Amino acid sequence: MSENPLQLIVHRMTREAEGVLSVELAHPDGKPLPAWTPGAHIDVHVGGHVRQYSLCGDPHDQGAYRIGVLDEPASRGGSRFVHTALRPGQTLTVSAPRNHFALEDAAAYVLVAGGIGITPLLAMAREAARRGAEWRLVYGGRSRASMAFTAELALLGGEVTLVPQDERGHIDLDAELSRLPDGALVYACGPEPLLAAVEERCPQGQLRTERFTAPTVERAEDDGEFEVECRTSGLTLRVDAHSSILDAAENAGIAVDSSCRDGICGSCETRVLEGTPDHRDFLLSEAEQAAGATMMICVSRCASGRLVLDL
């Protein structure tokens, strides 16, 4: 959670599709909320957990944040709390928005959504339409009834293709990605099998993804130990082969924002003061990883024997 969390009121809850609720959050005094851009998400305290939800409203409306929440029976409690216990008028603690999935300037956009992955892409489609950019979106879901925000998408004026699996099977990614306009960027969000399939078919420099879960990565070598100086707290930690920097910091009593512990949410992003990180997250771009200014301490390690972090 950010240093200055917001206390927001649940203003409205709307059933957008089977198993999907949208939740609008507003300041209790009606004050404008911190600005955000398409692709941003907020951390939300729900049901004793901290969960990340993409903002799917209009960035030009600073009066409310809107998130879309899928009811997942196998969840660890966040989505179940929203669907069974959250009510309008209740207060939630949320972070200011942050964005590791920003809509970059491009000549055209191809948006690929799977299931609840439509949430960040809805805001992107709205912004692309506002810019007058060429864009198209292909959206796959279990069934037409389970696919949220389709009426809003239809009003945006772009080429929107709905692919309910029970009617049409899976998205034909070969067809969708074989006709990329010149200078186009591809944005994809959804389940890991969809993202892996998109990555196989799309030039890496043109693709931007956001994940719900971390993919499995095989390591050729075992991890070694290394030292981390925590400059702010004045502590030096030894991180063994079976622990993360986040584990070591928490064991030493250092408070660190964290949630996913898989390198996909950005909550634990920490400034690097000295040393070279071994980046293992799925958020930072290649350029950001090469710069080494920050790292996700839940998964990333050390490539230089010692790190100095702003902890």
Side-chain angles (χ1 to χ4, degrees):
M1 187 63 64
S2 64
E3 293 182 3
N4 298 301
L6 304 167
Q7 303 297 318
L8 302 184
I9 298 292
V10 178
H11 175 63
R12 181 183 292 113
M13 300 178 68
T14 305
R15 186 162 298 281
E16 304 290 352
E18 288 181 357
V20 180
L21 283 176
S22 66
V23 180
E24 290 187 22
L25 304 168
H27 194 282
D29 297 327
K31 296 179 181 177
L33 301 179
W36 61 281
T37 54
H41 70 259
I42 54 175
D43 299 339
V44 184
H45 278 269
V46 282
H49 304 274
V50 181
R51 294 290 178 261
Q52 290 72 43
Y53 296 105
S54 296
L55 293 170
C56 60
D58 186 344
H60 290 255
D61 175 11
Q62 289 190 272
Y65 291 154
R66 185 177 68 164
I67 58 175
V69 183
L70 174 67
D71 187 6
E72 299 182 87
S75 81
R76 291 175 290 176
S79 74
R80 289 296 330 172
F81 179 86
V82 171
H83 279 259
T84 62
L86 191 66
R87 297 292 182 270
Q90 291 180 245
T91 299
L92 292 179
T93 301
V94 310
S95 71
R98 69 172 168 270
N99 199 341
H100 287 286
F101 192 46
L103 187 68
E104 303 170 26
D105 289 334
Y109 301 98
V110 176
L111 312 176
V112 182
I116 198 62
I118 189 60
T119 50
L121 301 187
L122 172 60
M124 291 183 180
R126 184 179 290 111
E127 179 61 22
R130 179 177 281 122
R131 294 179 187 178
E134 178 186 350
W135 67 276
R136 57 185 169 90
L137 181 146
V138 57
Y139 176 15
R142 296 189 318 277
S143 66
R144 197 173 295 272
S146 73
M147 299 170 70
F149 307 115
T150 55
E152 289 185 41
L153 287 166
L155 298 175
L156 297 180
E159 179 186 338
V160 177
T161 302
L162 303 182
V163 187
Q165 187 176 344
D166 61 350
E167 298 175 23
R168 300 181 53 187
H170 295 291
I171 297 171
D172 185 348
L173 292 175
D174 290 324
E176 295 294 339
L177 299 177
S178 64
R179 55 186 184 104
L180 294 181
D182 291 340
L185 289 178
V186 178
Y187 283 80
C189 184
E192 182 57 32
L194 172 66
L195 298 187
V198 172
E199 287 176 334
E200 289 177 0
R201 293 163 172 80
C202 187
Q204 188 173 19
Q206 290 180 266
L207 177 62
R208 309 290 185 267
T209 61
E210 183 168 69
R211 287 181 148 82
F212 301 149
T213 58
T216 301
V217 178
E218 298 294 334
R219 301 289 174 187
E221 299 178 358
D222 293 336
D223 292 322
E225 296 187 357
F226 58 94
E227 186 177 88
V228 176
E229 178 188 336
C230 303
R231 181 67 54 84
T232 303
S233 61
L235 298 177
T236 297
L237 312 176
R238 194 72 189 170
V239 182
D240 65 37
H242 306 291
S243 300
S244 67
I245 300 173
L246 176 60
D247 292 332
E250 290 178 336
N251 290 338
I254 301 172
V256 183
D257 292 341
S258 67
S259 179
C260 73
R261 308 184 88 91
D262 286 324
I264 60 173
C265 79
S267 296
C268 69
E269 185 172 10
T270 299
R271 195 157 62 99
V272 178
L273 304 178
E274 295 178 25
T276 304
D278 173 9
H279 293 288
R280 300 186 182 185
D281 66 274
F282 302 95
L283 274 175
L284 298 177
S285 67
E286 289 185 3
E288 289 170 329
Q289 289 188 351
T294 66
M295 65 187 298
M296 307 303 166
I297 63 171
C298 64
V299 291
S300 296
R301 300 182 68 80
C302 177
S304 57
R306 188 174 187 274
L307 291 169
V308 181
L309 302 180
D310 186 15
L311 283 174

